[in-house]
Amino acid sequence: DIQMTQSPFSVSASVGDRVTITCRASQGISSWLAWYQQKPGKAPKLLIHAASSLQSGVPSRFSGSGSGTDFTLTISSLQPEDFATYYCQQVNSFPITFGQGTRLEIK
Amino acid sequence: EVQLVESGGGLVQPGGSLRLSCAASGFTFSNYWMNWVRQAPGKGLEWVASINKDGSEKYYVDSVRGRFTISRDNAKNSLFLQVDSLRAEDTAVYYCGRPDGYRATDVWGKGTTVSVSS
């Protein structure tokens, strides 16, 4: 199984800050990676697919990069609505696996 | 409007069974693979199972293989998850999801809650 390791586990930041979350796969997954945002009590929301393609309707302050084993999600200028938990997910092969999540909190 | 609506969750004793359903609307259901993903209370997301467009291919996470069965009825635009031999660790919100062309889940239901307790 492919293990997905996110870091940091949690991060505190302020509105306007730039934040980067990393995700590492235990083996190469090409660009078969997605990023999701989840708020309490809600279903996840797709932000990025294919490692770097912004999902329709997602603000351009979100961006993704990477391929192979190392990936990043960057939020260029945090907005109040961005405080949530973020997950990476590999969809290269079954079993599909998620990272453990990164909680983004208000400083 | 593209929509997924889950139902069928509830409180069940260990060893019990439930049949979760997911009603799809607003898109051509038979053109898409479908997933179930779950989230235990206070925990992260866990992929549970996937099924291909015609139901001939099914994949499961190891922890549920042999106990859970994913299926679909394309004529009724419905996805199912039969969950048997339930354990306390199966307690979670169960989401159905539609993967896009890049295999990422771009449409999610709101979830249905399964609680396993005596």
Side-chain angles (χ1 to χ4, degrees):
Chain A
D1 298 2
I2 299 174
Q3 308 303 316
M4 305 301 292
T5 304
Q6 279 182 240
S7 62
F9 176 75
S10 66
V11 57
S12 295
S14 301
V15 172
D17 284 353
R18 179 184 181 92
V19 171
T20 297
I21 298 169
T22 64
C23 182
R24 175 164 289 176
S26 60
Q27 63 190 77
I29 58 170
S30 185
S31 295
W32 293 107
L33 185 103
W35 288 97
Y36 300 89
Q37 176 193 69
Q38 188 181 34
K39 296 181 178 180
K42 300 295 186 181
K45 174 186 175 182
L46 178 64
L47 300 175
I48 302 283
H49 61 249
S52 60
S53 295
L54 193 67
Q55 176 69 4
S56 177
V58 174
S60 59
R61 63 181 179 272
F62 292 91
S63 63
S65 65
S67 66
T69 60
D70 294 311
F71 302 87
T72 61
L73 173 70
T74 299
I75 311 171
S76 60
S77 178
L78 277 171
Q79 299 301 301
E81 60 268 29
D82 300 337
F83 293 94
T85 300
Y86 293 84
Y87 295 92
C88 62
Q89 178 199 39
Q90 70 81 17
V91 290
N92 178 74
S93 61
F94 291 108
I96 293 169
T97 45
F98 287 90
Q100 77 275 21
T102 295
R103 185 172 180 178
L104 178 53
E105 300 173 321
I106 301 173
K107 183 180 287 184
Chain B
E1 178 190 6
V2 173
Q3 194 170 10
L4 297 172
V5 179
E6 303 93 335
S7 60
L11 174 63
V12 61
Q13 293 186 339
S17 298
L18 287 171
R19 181 175 171 85
L20 308 184
S21 299
C22 173
S25 59
F27 65 99
T28 304
F29 181 71
S30 59
N31 286 352
Y32 291 86
W33 283 65
M34 295 295 293
N35 293 335
W36 286 98
V37 171
R38 68 183 178 182
Q39 187 168 37
K43 303 298 184 181
L45 300 170
E46 180 182 39
W47 169 80
V48 174
S50 294
I51 188 168
N52 72 340
K53 299 175 187 180
D54 65 6
S56 62
E57 295 181 44
K58 303 175 184 182
Y59 300 88
Y60 301 93
V61 67
D62 282 350
S63 60
V64 309
R65 188 175 292 111
R67 301 188 299 121
F68 290 11
T69 303
I70 189 171
S71 63
R72 65 191 298 160
D73 184 338
N74 286 343
K76 296 184 177 179
N77 294 331
S78 294
L79 176 72
F80 304 102
L81 187 68
Q82 178 68 38
V83 295
D84 298 323
S85 303
L86 281 162
R87 307 167 180 167
E89 55 265 35
D90 296 318
T91 294
V93 176
Y94 285 73
Y95 297 101
C96 68
R98 185 193 80 171
D100 65 10
Y102 300 93
R103 308 179 190 170
T105 302
D106 66 341
V107 180
W108 295 77
K110 293 184 177 181
T112 188
T113 300
V114 173
S115 297
V116 184
S117 174
S118 55

